[in-house]
Amino acid sequence: MNEHPATLLRCVVERITYQNPENGYSVLKVKVKGYNDLVTLVGNLLEVPVGSVLLCRGEWKVDKRYGSQFVAATWEETMPATVYGIEKYLGSGLVKGIGPRFARAIVQRFGTETIDIIETEIERLYEVPNIGRKRVAKIRESWEKQKDIKNVMLFLQGYGVSTAYAAKIYREYGKESIDKVRENPYRLADDIWGIGFKTADGIAAKMGYEKEDPRRCRSGILYTLGQLSDEGHVYAGEEQLVKTAGQLLEAGETAIRDTLAGMLQAEDLILDKDAIYLPPFYHAECGTSRRLRDLAESTGRSLFDGLFDPSSLTAETGIEYDEVQLAAIRQAVTSKVMVLTGGPGTGKTTTTQGIIAALKKAGLRVLLAAPTGRAAKRMSEATGMEAKTIHRLLEYNPQDGYKRNDENPLEGDALIVDECSMIDILLMNNLLKAVPVGMRLVFVGDIDQLPSVGAGNVFGDLIRSERVATVALKDIFRQAEQSAIVRSAPLVNEGRLPELQNTAASDFFFLPRRDSVRLVDTVVELCRTRLPEKMHIPAESIQVLTATRKGDTGTAALNRALQAALNPAGAGRREKRFGDLVFREGDRVMQTRNDYDVLWEREDGTAGAGIFNGDVGKILQIDPSGELISIAFDDRVATYTADMLAELDMAYAMTVHKAQGSEYRAVIFVSAPAAPGLMVRGVLYTAITRARELLILVGDDVSLGKMAANDRRTRRYSGLRWRLGNGGTA
């Protein structure tokens, strides 16, 4: 076959090699005039059957494994004109009620007029012997459905909607798709994942919608609040919301305020004083406050009515506790709710072990949980008990939500939750729903770490409200003082730069690199050769961290360089391009949003659903079609379809924010200028405290000094602290 660039291809579908029913992605073998062999056609071709005549626009590409392919960007179907084509089309299984035998009989009766007969005079099918009324009814229904699909696809393509999104829209709305999109294209942003405000706005603009159309303003306001929640805010001030939405929409203030008033009246949004909430966040904040106060104020027997004997606890755990730790243990068993906070080396883990031992000695059933799989695993290793993710503890599944709730509470007497700085307001509310009033609750975390990725500042609000008993561990234990990593963390909290003079016996090193190219080369060399060969730390145990995604030393650039060095193309590794990324077998990847629908399975056969923001996995296999990707997340193997790759990013390097709650054998932190909001003490502190055995700072000492000196904390709009302190629930 002579390969040449082309933009237009007319073909007949001869064979379907692969078809994804979710997004319509297909690999087809097609017959093209002038080509002796069948041509491979790939693209999002929803429910295209064998025998279809297609007019495709796209381009020729050469796949390393599969050779020459025509990649269709858009397509339209024309009906076959020959007797052979019509018979093959009808006999493909597309039209329910017509198999190969009846297709032959129908075409023998009507010839090239067959399609017109089915379209306009379907009653004439009774002229075909033995066809029967039920079969004709089935053919009529199926033919109408296919017409609906084709009409929807053509309509949506006319407004620039990709075939993959068109497939999602049809699955959601069916034959009503055209009417619903015409009525309000902005509903797509609410109903179809992946179609955000900006995509819907582009469709609406082509349909002639005005900038101040109430439907546009409503969608823009919701989008603005969603963006603010992504930045950590639970609510927005009215003036802030009007201003930010106005900038997005380029619409007048009056139109936005009028739309906002209507949304508040319809309870699409909730106004509390001058704070405007999306309903889920409002109810989560009020629910969290109410339940915490109910728990804290509930009465229960003291477990230390008798004399507390620290020596017996020491004998049981083998740990000598100082006075602050003993006070924490006393607090945990005399309070219904308490917080234990402290930095690395202050004995948080050993204190937690003491709390568990004391609770068990009193005959209480103790449950352990953490926000992420990695944090739960670390908790299990430290305590010798099973620790579950919060989602698993609450028996979450996408169909039913959280099985454990106020109607079906947790079974136990005490719950200890680690890495609580990572818990956002929505997750905390769902957790507390499942905690019975009689259960003791211990929150453990580090107040100096960055707040949760999701909305809220729950852990900080608990402590600062002064309504929850709190014990802060501050003294670093003698054993821990030997670690330069541990010694550095409190120095950063005091605004001082750690000692950057390298010594052979240290677990903390600084490599000055001002030039970005040399900096990236150094990071690659450390991961590829120096640490694996000289310090026997394999590449998979090294995590590169940086403050930002953007720029020459952001995660995007670092991941490209590290992927090329650690997992290069070739060597039999299949790969799949998605946007600017190439996903390859063996790659380290990270989930970037909570997806409660992703199915996974463990080796022991247990299965579940849900992969969450920040979960890190390894691509095990990409199937030959490129449409199914198997990814191992610790002990779970999940299967992704190609359109789900939008939820993934490379994880050789990640932002410090994404590394919260995780601990790595070795951390390389890239110190380079970034946006002012990222050059803060909390980012540097969190980066340092992610390292267990080795920390290497690579980059600019001036940037490090600026970060240590900058204690500015970006304010998050959260009402939880006020509600806890003032009893406000509404």
Side-chain angles (χ1 to χ4, degrees), residues 598-649:
V598 181
L599 300 176
W600 51 258
E601 190 173 357
R602 293 190 176 92
E603 280 190 7
D604 62 6
T606 59
I611 301 293
F612 303 103
N613 190 358
D615 285 354
V616 174
K618 180 180 180 180
I619 296 178
L620 300 179
Q621 188 178 32
I622 300 174
D623 83 325
S625 73
E627 288 303 296
L628 296 173
I629 300 96
S630 298
I631 305 174
F633 293 92
D634 294 323
D635 62 341
R636 301 165 298 163
V637 176
T639 300
Y640 283 60
T641 56
D643 59 313
M644 295 165 63
L645 294 176
E647 302 177 12
L648 294 176
D649 200 357

Side-chain angles (χ1 to χ4, degrees), residues 323-391:
E323 282 304 311
V324 180
Q325 289 178 305
L326 289 173
I329 296 169
R330 285 192 184 93
Q331 191 70 66
V333 294
T334 54
S335 302
K336 297 304 295 291
V337 185
M338 81 153 291
V339 168
L340 175 67
T341 184
T346 58
K348 236 181 10 271
T349 299
T350 54
T351 305
T352 301
Q353 290 170 333
I355 291 171
I356 293 170
L359 293 172
K360 282 187 168 182
K361 192 171 183 176
L364 272 60
R365 298 166 296 166
V366 180
L367 307 176
L368 306 181
T372 67
R374 287 175 175 257
K377 187 177 179 181
R378 287 200 293 121
M379 196 181 190
S380 294
E381 291 168 350
T383 62
M385 294 173 58
E386 183 187 20
K388 298 179 179 179
T389 65
I390 295 174
H391 286 87

Side-chain angles (χ1 to χ4, degrees), residues 45 84 115 137 186 197 199 221 287 309 383 555 569 602 721:
L45 298 110
Y84 168 79
I115 300 298
Y186 293 100
F197 167 77
T199 301
I221 289 169
D309 183 10
T383 62
T555 56
R602 293 190 176 92
R721 178 183 176 183

